Amino acid sequence: MNQSLLNPHILPVPLEKAYRLLNHGPTVLVSSQDDESTDVMAAAWACALEFSPAKVTVVLDKSTKTRSIIEKSGLFALQVPTLKQLKMVYALGIISQYDAPEKLRQCGVELFQFGYSPIPVVEGCSAWILCELIPEPHNQQQHDLFIGKVIAAYADDRVFRDGHWYYHEAADEWKSIHHVAGGHFYTIGDAVDINALKDTD
């Protein structure tokens, strides 16, 4: 696992802007690591919760190994995968590490870490949000809802910079993916500017 940040395109995102990494509703990858295991899963239900301090939520089913790792370690990352990673994302969403111990290798996952953070993150994504778990036992047990305090955020400046997504300038392979059901996804659509619409009225 690469311990250093070698890609010059990956830049820090101010925590007060971290919500914008999730605001368009992408399918995310959730990663975590404890003393025994490392796992990554796909999740469709993740969103920003608060601006300051920055917080996020994600729904994690009780059957997933990633969830148990997060409960032990208290740390996790949400990352925004891209269209070029679609097959990997789908595989990570249907294969459990409980059934396939070599899941990450089988799915072609490459991991690295940001600086001194122990949280493993997935290579090739467009954005990463590192989180500390805010324990809420009732929400976790009754609703499978996990809350994270954002401790760091990063994005690839080829598609996100200065607090904004630039999907309209990037190649299609950089587009975020949005799971509907049964392996059916959409990619992010065209940009629409309300100010431009006003000019045409």
Side-chain angles (χ1 to χ4, degrees):
M1 187 179 295
N2 188 351
Q3 297 293 326
S4 61
L5 181 57
L6 300 177
N7 187 336
H9 289 289
I10 300 176
L11 302 177
V13 174
L15 296 190
E16 66 272 15
K17 302 292 187 187
Y19 75 95
R20 293 185 178 179
L21 300 176
L22 297 177
N23 225 28
H24 60 305
T27 293
V28 299
L29 295 177
V30 186
S31 58
S32 190
Q33 177 177 282
D34 61 19
D35 293 337
E36 299 177 352
S37 303
T38 301
D39 198 14
V40 181
M41 63 173 282
W45 296 354
C47 70
L49 177 63
E50 194 169 349
F51 295 110
S52 181
K55 296 176 185 175
V56 296
T57 65
V58 62
V59 174
L60 304 171
D61 190 84
K62 294 178 179 67
S63 65
T64 63
K65 180 71 175 286
T66 306
R67 171 178 170 147
S68 67
I69 295 172
I70 292 171
E71 289 173 329
K72 292 177 185 175
S73 70
L75 297 168
F76 65 95
L78 302 182
Q79 42 250 294
V80 180
T82 66
L83 179 58
K84 61 180 180 257
Q85 298 172 302
L86 180 60
K87 290 183 179 179
M88 179 189 71
V89 172
Y90 182 64
L92 288 170
I94 62 172
I95 299 173
S96 171
Q97 198 173 76
Y98 285 126
D99 302 321
E102 296 296 316
K103 168 186 173 180
L104 299 186
R105 182 186 60 77
Q106 289 176 233
C107 295
V109 176
E110 295 183 16
L111 299 172
F112 70 100
Q113 292 172 319
F114 285 103
Y116 295 103
S117 170
I119 306 172
V121 293
V122 179
E123 184 77 45
C125 293
S126 59
W128 303 261
I129 301 174
L130 310 185
C131 303
E132 290 180 354
L133 177 66
I134 299 175
E136 292 284 353
H138 174 75
N139 286 337
Q140 291 166 204
Q141 290 301 314
Q142 295 298 314
H143 308 294
D144 296 332
L145 182 67
F146 285 67
I147 301 173
K149 175 186 175 182
V150 179
I151 55 176
Y154 300 87
D156 192 302
D157 68 1
R158 287 169 288 189
V159 69
F160 185 95
R161 56 189 178 274
D162 302 321
H164 298 281
W165 287 105
Y166 286 85
Y167 288 117
H168 58 289
E169 296 180 0
D172 285 349
E173 67 177 13
W174 282 101
K175 289 186 175 181
S176 58
I177 53 179
H178 306 254
H179 186 244
V180 181
H184 183 67
F185 292 80
Y186 283 95
T187 58
I188 190 76
D190 295 332
V192 179
D193 189 331
I194 190 66
N195 295 311
L197 292 177
K198 288 179 181 177
D199 292 340
T200 62
D201 287 345

